[in-house]
Amino acid sequence: MLYLVPTPIGNLEDMTFRAVNILKEVDIILAEDTRTSAPLLKHFGIDKKVFAHHQHNEHKAVSEIIKFLKEGQNIALISDAGTPAISDPGFLLVRAALKEGLEVQCLPGATAFVPALVNSGLPNDRFCFEGFLPVKKGRQTRLKALAEEKRTMIFYESPHRILKTIEEFITVFGAERQASISRELSKLYEENVRGTLTDLKLHFENNPIKGEFVFCVGGLE
């Protein structure tokens, strides 16, 4: 069995009992960054073989992991935070495992975009998840394709690009478009800022920009 196990995005209390039990029971744990996962595993008393599985080695590693699964070993995949394969490695391995007729289970658990969407105050009956926009090539093409989007849009963004992204969104969606930015979700300094894109720009021009950001933008009305 291949298990995809969500890990907390900040608050360790968001780890589920089932997630802890699965990680204790599997034969191998694949981690996006073993250094990041080590404190989490130690905190929950999980002592297993851990191997790195990230965007730089996943293409090469898939065939070997499939071999282990075929031999009957149970493997769990975790990312640094949140649910594997959501803007993190995992898709290639899941696709390969399913192609080989192997069992795959994804546990429910932490992911950043759901709480950000729900607490944004924006319509959430229909939405589209865009994750990280391309940094250079293809960025403007993607934004132009979203200019007429009627659903609430969800993006991930890094702190050093957030102001530039807000400015780009003002150009594409208009300064008065309603939006919400959540950062450091579930952590001590969690912040949720809501208003027009202009309001968000003013806020982050005058306040510290730290942490991981989830950017929700209302669709075209």
Side-chain angles (χ1 to χ4, degrees), residues 78-120:
I78 61 176
S79 61
D80 288 347
T83 300
I86 301 296
S87 293
D88 278 321
F91 164 69
L92 293 177
L93 179 56
V94 169
R95 182 176 64 178
L98 294 175
K99 186 177 180 180
E100 294 294 329
L102 297 164
E103 291 291 325
V104 177
Q105 282 191 12
C106 181
L107 278 63
T111 189
F113 80 83
V114 173
L117 171 63
V118 172
N119 74 32
S120 70

Side-chain angles (χ1 to χ4, degrees), residues 119-165:
N119 74 32
S120 70
L122 298 169
N124 55 32
D125 54 331
R126 297 176 68 241
F127 60 90
C128 60
F129 175 72
E130 293 294 323
F132 287 100
L133 288 167
V135 175
K136 294 180 180 178
K137 186 177 180 181
R139 187 178 180 90
Q140 293 307 312
T141 300
R142 180 83 68 84
L143 286 173
K144 288 178 182 178
L146 292 170
E148 303 298 318
E149 178 60 63
K150 292 181 170 58
R151 298 169 294 179
T152 298
M153 297 163 279
I154 306 169
F155 306 87
Y156 286 164
E157 192 52 278
S158 60
H160 70 277
R161 291 191 61 87
I162 193 67
L163 277 173
K164 182 177 180 181
T165 297

Side-chain angles (χ1 to χ4, degrees), residues 23-40:
L23 293 178
K24 287 182 176 180
E25 292 169 3
V26 295
D27 302 295
I28 297 172
I29 296 174
L30 304 174
E32 184 180 0
D33 188 329
T34 56
R35 295 165 299 180
T36 301
S37 299
L40 173 76

